[in-house]
Amino acid sequence: MDLGLTPEEEEFRARLRTWLAGVLPTLPPKPSPHDWPARRAYDLGWQRRLYDAGYAGLHWPVDAGGRGATPTQHLLFLEETEKAGAPYVGANFVGLLHAGPTIASEGSAEQRARWLPPVLRGEEVWCQGFSEPDAGSDLAALRTRARRDGDDYVVSGSKIWTSHAEVADWCELLVRTDPDARRHAGITWLAMPMDAPGITVRPLRTLAGSTEFAEVFLDEVRVPAANRVGAENDGWRVTMVTLSYERGTAFVGEVVACRRVLSEVAREARRNGRWDDAVLRRRLGRLNAEFRALWRLTQWNVSEAQGTGGVPGTGGSVFKLRYSHARQELFDAAAEVLGPESLDLGREWTLDRLSSLSYTIAAGTSQIQRNIVAERILGLPRGR
């Protein structure tokens, strides 16, 4: 992996910086973090600006509607947009960062043509229907059933922690289509329209007061068989593609954000006198080394994905495991610097600290990631 920049990549960065400097001052004010319909509109508006400027789906394959950018261009885009304070993907997270890439990798030509352009243009939002109340971290224990009835699947069951369900148009849904098959075998990946009859969405309020997650109840919901991505009962393999994107590249931009926050925390410590604490300085120095190493690992994972057809490898689990804990440590350090002010929900970093608690659970718990690292990377025997 060559970490130097070519003249073409330097030109790309300069052009992107110029565009960001011109477009960011024209954006409307950000909506309340608790108003998800308004946040959806804001996030889709930003996505449309990216699309019109040629930056949407930058690293997606050209035949999927993307630009086919190099890994370095992708990373430069993430660095520069974060440094400039550009909006995050927000409500577009699922569609842009793992449902869309999964369809690009596994979908038919018709499916790619139907679902990918609206994601890139900022016209449709996706949610993720994977987790279930009784399955916990054991995704293969899902019980939501889908029986074939003519040209449709009829789906019944429930999902929980369904990201952005209350504002989504589509759901990447895992269902069990063969209840008699072994656990990982009888699963199918479906694209479910969220306006189909029989769907009930109940938002879940988080510790921070937001409702980006929801319970979703499915009562005889009819999903066209044409919406199946991959073969029937081959959903576990397709799911591994989805999870590879979710763990391997979906958090890339957040590493840049954490490095920026770390610099701000250090400045705040100097301002309020906490910088005299040698233990705190060592803590911040170690976090700086952590995030520098995570950025290098990110570069490796993105480059590896490019060399293997775009699908991230198991190195994503290494990244996800360490990043989850480093993020928690970062915002714990921020709370130490703020002192009593860290209890104020209106104070910068407080909501981030609360949300960081979920990172060792979201996208696969740390225990699951350790199992993957042990078994698939280190070659250790499966635990009993």
Side-chain angles (χ1 to χ4, degrees), residues 335-357:
E336 183 180 345
V337 169
L338 290 177
E341 292 183 52
S342 66
L343 300 177
D344 180 2
L345 288 179
R347 186 66 167 82
E348 189 178 14
W349 305 328
T350 301
L351 293 179
D352 288 321
R353 187 190 184 200
L354 294 177
S355 69
S356 75
L357 300 175

Side-chain angles (χ1 to χ4, degrees), residues 94-95 98-100 102 126-130 159 162 170-174 189-192 242 246:
V94 175
H98 41 90
T102 299
W126 285 66
C127 63
Q128 185 183 68
F130 281 17
K159 298 290 179 176
T162 308
W170 293 91
C171 177
E172 52 172 358
L173 183 73
L174 293 187
W189 200 106
L190 298 177
M192 180 179 70
T242 305
E246 186 176 23

Side-chain angles (χ1 to χ4, degrees), residues 133-153:
D134 297 324
S137 297
D138 186 3
L139 188 57
L142 67 89
R143 297 180 181 178
T144 296
R145 300 288 181 87
R147 59 178 174 83
R148 187 68 179 263
D149 181 25
D151 292 333
D152 294 333
Y153 288 102

Side-chain angles (χ1 to χ4, degrees), residues 125-378:
V125 169
W126 285 66
C127 63
Q128 185 183 68
F130 281 17
S131 299
E132 295 189 4
D134 297 324
S137 297
D138 186 3
L139 188 57
L142 67 89
R143 297 180 181 178
T144 296
R145 300 288 181 87
R147 59 178 174 83
R148 187 68 179 263
D149 181 25
D151 292 333
D152 294 333
Y153 288 102
V154 181
V155 182
S156 293
S158 65
K159 298 290 179 176
I160 198 167
W161 313 125
T162 308
S163 305
H164 307 314
E166 64 178 346
V167 293
D169 303 290
W170 293 91
C171 177
E172 52 172 358
L173 183 73
L174 293 187
V175 295
R176 187 163 295 283
T177 41
D178 185 352
D180 298 323
R182 59 185 177 84
R183 283 164 30 96
H184 296 86
I187 294 173
T188 299
W189 200 106
L190 298 177
M192 180 179 70
M194 289 298 289
D195 60 355
I199 300 176
T200 301
V201 176
R202 296 180 185 171
L204 295 168
R205 193 164 299 279
T206 69
L207 184 64
S210 183
T211 56
E212 65 260 39
F213 302 119
E215 293 180 284
V216 177
F217 299 92
L218 308 169
D219 182 13
E220 298 285 291
V221 179
R222 301 189 76 89
V223 179
N227 289 15
R228 184 188 68 231
V229 175
E232 183 171 298
N233 298 327
D234 191 34
W236 186 257
R237 184 191 61 79
V238 179
T239 300
M240 291 303 100
V241 173
T242 305
L243 296 181
S244 293
Y245 285 112
E246 186 176 23
R247 297 163 184 171
T249 54
F251 291 112
V252 169
E254 296 192 27
V255 177
V256 183
C258 284
R259 295 178 70 183
R260 174 183 52 77
V261 169
L262 181 60
S263 297
E264 294 171 355
V265 170
R267 283 196 295 271
E268 176 65 19
R270 291 187 178 95
R271 188 195 65 79
N272 67 13
R274 296 303 308 278
W275 193 251
D276 295 335
D277 185 337
V279 174
L280 175 65
R281 290 201 307 272
R282 284 195 296 270
R283 185 178 188 183
L284 297 181
R286 182 180 57 78
L287 282 168
N288 182 54
E290 286 264 12
F291 284 109
R292 287 173 66 89
L294 280 167
W295 184 243
R296 291 304 187 213
L297 179 58
T298 293
Q299 292 174 310
W300 175 273
N301 287 339
V302 170
S303 296
E304 181 189 39
Q306 185 73 15
T308 56
V311 180
T314 52
S317 289
V318 177
F319 168 83
K320 168 62 172 60
L321 176 62
R322 189 54 222 157
Y323 170 71
S324 298
H325 292 272
R327 183 182 176 88
Q328 290 179 351
E329 293 168 13
L330 167 62
F331 287 104
D332 282 347
E336 183 180 345
V337 169
L338 290 177
E341 292 183 52
S342 66
L343 300 177
D344 180 2
L345 288 179
R347 186 66 167 82
E348 189 178 14
W349 305 328
T350 301
L351 293 179
D352 288 321
R353 187 190 184 200
L354 294 177
S355 69
S356 75
L357 300 175
S358 69
Y359 276 65
T360 48
I361 300 173
T365 66
S366 291
Q367 291 84 352
I368 293 294
Q369 305 308 324
R370 290 188 182 98
N371 282 346
I372 293 172
V373 171
E375 296 169 9
R376 301 184 194 175
I377 298 178
L378 301 178

